[in-house]
């Protein structure tokens, strides 16, 4: 009976955390204000062409920061007309991406900057939408891209994607005052001097999860941040190289991220995840004891909740309703892998660099 109770509590927790989940509703306005787009890139020759192609007709300054790439990233970026700069000697202790961003932002000529990961793609009209949303409040804005997937193994990322959105606290049922607790890393917009001020702090640029720490640092000064989903604005395809890339990509920082977000949000997310695993346990118990009614109802409820919410953050398929235990198992294995590589073996690497 405890498995049924925990399953239902987890189901309710998921509803509470994602109750307001929907694409941004702001009316798009065409702006004449110029911005500087900063793209940090390390060995991104296979990904960055898609982003630069989506930016081909934009009137804004585009700066690609070549972060010690060992491939043709710099040449490809230059061929698309982007301004390419090389990172300067990195001070000891500062992580690669934060340093690349700081180097790029220092070269920006406009007051408002847009930071884009190299694997993102701006949707038609996306830049105007981002700028419109930002100018509503002119407070730091972060956007989690819509996850566009082409192969089945990529959809194993569903729980990771949902946890990232949940961690922001943007779409929670009781979040009337919009107390956002996490900043997304792939897409950010803010003022140039604002970024330099906060990203130059050691408690930000020496951390693997510099996006979360950046948001925390801004919040400490009682400055509101905004974190939204990017459906219809910006998308990405995260790990097209294979399932091992998915494992390593999410595993490189997920265990760290679990303890870096707001405590109460972490508790809510833990209840939601526990409910998913309790549902699987309830089904197993139902099979053993021939008590299928409650377990099947809970199973379908969990599957439907996952599908209904996840379709706002990626092109996940309806098969998720029935196959979510496979996704839950992969999530658990990745979390264990993350703990082992980060805290036990201390061999956590990404793109040939220790992180």
């Amino acid at each position: 009976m405890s498995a049924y109770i925990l399953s239902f509590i987890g189901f309710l927790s998921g509803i509470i955390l994602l109750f307001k989940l929907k694409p941004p509703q702001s009316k798009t306005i065409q702006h004449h204000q110029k911005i500087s787009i900063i793209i940090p890139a390390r060995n991104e020759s296979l990904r960055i062409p898609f982003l630069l192609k989506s930016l081909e007709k934009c009137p804004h300054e585009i700066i690609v920061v070549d972060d010690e790439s060992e491939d043709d990233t710099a040449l490809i970026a230059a061929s698309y007309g982007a301004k390419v700069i090389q990172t300067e000697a990195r001070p000891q202790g500062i992580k690669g991406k934060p340093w690349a961003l700081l180097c790029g932002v220092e070269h920006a000529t406009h007051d408002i900057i847009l930071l884009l990961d190299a694997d993102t793609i701006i949707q038609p009209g996306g830049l105007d939408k981002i700028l419109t949303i930002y100018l509503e409040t002119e407070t730091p804005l972060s956007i989690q891209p819509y996850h566009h997937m082409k192969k089945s193994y990529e959809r194993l990322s569903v729980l990771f994607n949902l946890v990232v959105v949940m961690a922001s606290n943007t779409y929670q049922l009781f979040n009337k005052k919009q107390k956002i607790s996490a900043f997304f890393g792939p897409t950010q917009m803010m003022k140039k001097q604002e970024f330099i001020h906060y990203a130059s702090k050691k408690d930000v640029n020496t951390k693997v999860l510099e996006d979360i720490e950046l948001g925390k640092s801004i919040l400490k000064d009682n400055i509101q941040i905004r974190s939204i989903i990017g459906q219809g604005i910006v998308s990405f395809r995260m790990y097209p190289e294979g399932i091992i890339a998915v494992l390593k990509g999410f595993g490189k920082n997920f265990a760290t991220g679990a303890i870096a977000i707001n405590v109460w949000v972490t508790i809510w997310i833990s209840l939601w995840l526990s409910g998913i695993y309790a549902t699987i346990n309830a089904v197993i118990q139902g099979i053993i004891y021939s008590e299928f009614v409650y377990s099947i109802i809970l199973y379908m409820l969990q599957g439907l909740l996952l599908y209904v919410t996840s379709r706002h953050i990626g092109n996940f398929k309806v098969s998720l309703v029935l196959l979510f235990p496979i996704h839950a198992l992969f999530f658990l294995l990745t979390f264990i892998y993350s703990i082992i590589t980060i805290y036990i073996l201390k061999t956590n690497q990404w793109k040939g660099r220790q992180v």
Side-chain angles (χ1 to χ4, degrees):
M1 184 61 68
S2 60
Y4 297 115
I5 294 173
L6 184 55
S7 174
F8 188 67
I9 291 174
F11 174 73
L12 291 179
S13 299
I15 291 177
I16 290 170
L17 284 165
L18 297 172
F19 187 81
K20 300 177 182 178
L21 184 64
K22 61 181 179 180
Q25 301 298 311
S26 299
K27 183 179 179 181
T28 305
I29 301 172
Q30 198 165 23
H31 298 277
H32 299 289
Q33 185 167 1
K34 295 292 190 297
I35 64 173
S36 293
I37 301 172
I38 316 297
I39 306 167
R42 176 175 169 81
N43 298 332
E44 297 287 3
S45 61
L46 297 179
R47 292 184 176 89
I48 203 168
F50 299 101
L51 170 58
L52 295 176
K53 188 172 181 61
S54 72
L55 294 171
E56 270 186 324
K57 296 181 180 180
C58 89
H60 306 293
E61 176 182 49
I62 301 174
I63 300 173
V64 173
V65 186
D66 182 29
D67 185 14
E68 301 179 1
S69 296
E70 298 169 342
D71 60 9
D72 295 332
T73 294
L75 291 175
I76 291 171
S79 72
Y80 279 90
K83 177 181 178 181
V84 180
I85 66 168
Q86 303 293 324
T87 53
E88 300 171 13
R90 181 158 51 99
Q92 187 175 5
I94 297 181
K95 298 299 182 181
K97 182 182 176 182
W99 180 242
L101 286 171
L102 278 168
C103 291
V105 172
E106 289 285 359
H107 285 78
T109 58
H110 300 294
D111 292 334
I112 298 176
I113 57 168
L114 174 63
L115 312 177
L116 293 174
D117 279 3
D119 59 357
T120 58
I121 297 176
I122 298 296
Q123 299 303 303
L127 286 178
D128 284 327
K129 289 180 181 179
I130 294 172
L131 196 52
T132 297
I133 294 169
Y134 171 77
L135 291 175
E136 288 174 352
T137 59
E138 293 195 40
T139 56
L141 170 70
S142 74
I143 304 174
Q144 180 66 8
Y146 182 85
H147 194 179
H148 180 70
M149 297 156 284
K150 295 183 179 180
K151 297 184 179 179
S152 297
Y153 74 84
E154 296 176 73
R155 294 184 172 86
L156 291 171
S157 66
V158 62
L159 294 186
F160 299 97
N161 283 291
L162 285 171
V163 166
V164 167
V165 174
M166 288 175 172
S168 73
N169 205 34
T170 299
Y171 301 104
Q172 192 195 123
L173 174 61
F174 303 115
N175 190 15
K176 294 181 180 180
K177 294 183 179 180
Q178 289 295 298
K179 293 182 179 179
I180 311 305
S181 61
F183 213 50
F184 301 134
T187 310
Q188 299 175 353
M189 178 172 278
M190 65 190 76
K191 290 182 172 64
K192 173 181 176 177
Q193 293 306 319
E194 201 167 35
F195 177 82
I196 292 174
H197 172 71
Y198 289 104
S200 297
K201 295 183 177 182
K202 287 187 176 181
D203 59 353
V204 174
N205 60 37
T206 59
K207 304 295 176 61
V208 176
L209 296 174
E210 84 290 336
D211 49 351
I212 291 179
E213 299 303 330
L214 178 65
K216 283 183 176 181
S217 185
I218 296 171
L219 287 171
K220 283 180 182 178
D221 285 346
N222 294 316
I223 297 174
Q224 183 65 55
I225 60 176
R226 300 179 70 187
S227 296
I228 62 174
I229 57 172
Q231 188 176 7
I233 299 175
V234 57
S235 66
F236 60 6
R237 186 182 178 197
M238 297 185 73
Y239 305 115
E241 300 89 349
I243 192 170
I244 299 301
V246 179
L247 177 68
K248 290 183 176 181
F250 285 111
K252 73 179 184 295
N253 56 26
F254 215 76
T256 306
I259 60 175
I261 58 177
N262 180 282
V263 174
W264 289 108
V265 175
T266 302
I267 292 172
W268 278 112
I269 293 174
S270 298
L271 284 172
W272 170 69
L273 288 169
S274 298
I276 291 174
Y277 293 107
T279 301
I280 298 170
N281 185 41
V283 170
I284 294 173
Q285 288 184 29
I287 293 172
I288 295 173
Y289 299 108
S290 299
E291 298 175 355
F292 295 105
V293 178
Y294 293 120
S295 60
I296 293 301
I297 291 174
L298 288 169
Y299 189 94
M300 295 305 296
L301 285 174
Q302 291 284 11
L304 285 169
L305 178 62
L306 285 172
Y307 172 66
V308 170
T309 53
S310 67
R311 64 197 179 105
H312 289 302
I313 61 175
N315 60 326
F316 294 97
K317 294 188 175 181
V318 70
S319 58
L320 179 62
V321 175
L322 298 178
L323 301 179
F324 73 85
I326 298 174
H327 301 262
L329 177 60
F330 183 76
F331 180 91
L332 182 60
L333 292 174
T334 304
F335 192 78
I336 293 171
Y337 167 82
S338 185
I339 291 174
I340 292 173
T341 55
I342 293 173
Y343 297 109
I344 299 176
L345 300 178
K346 297 182 178 180
T347 57
N348 195 23
Q349 291 193 350
W350 185 245
K351 296 183 180 179
R353 176 184 283 165
Q354 184 72 25
V355 297

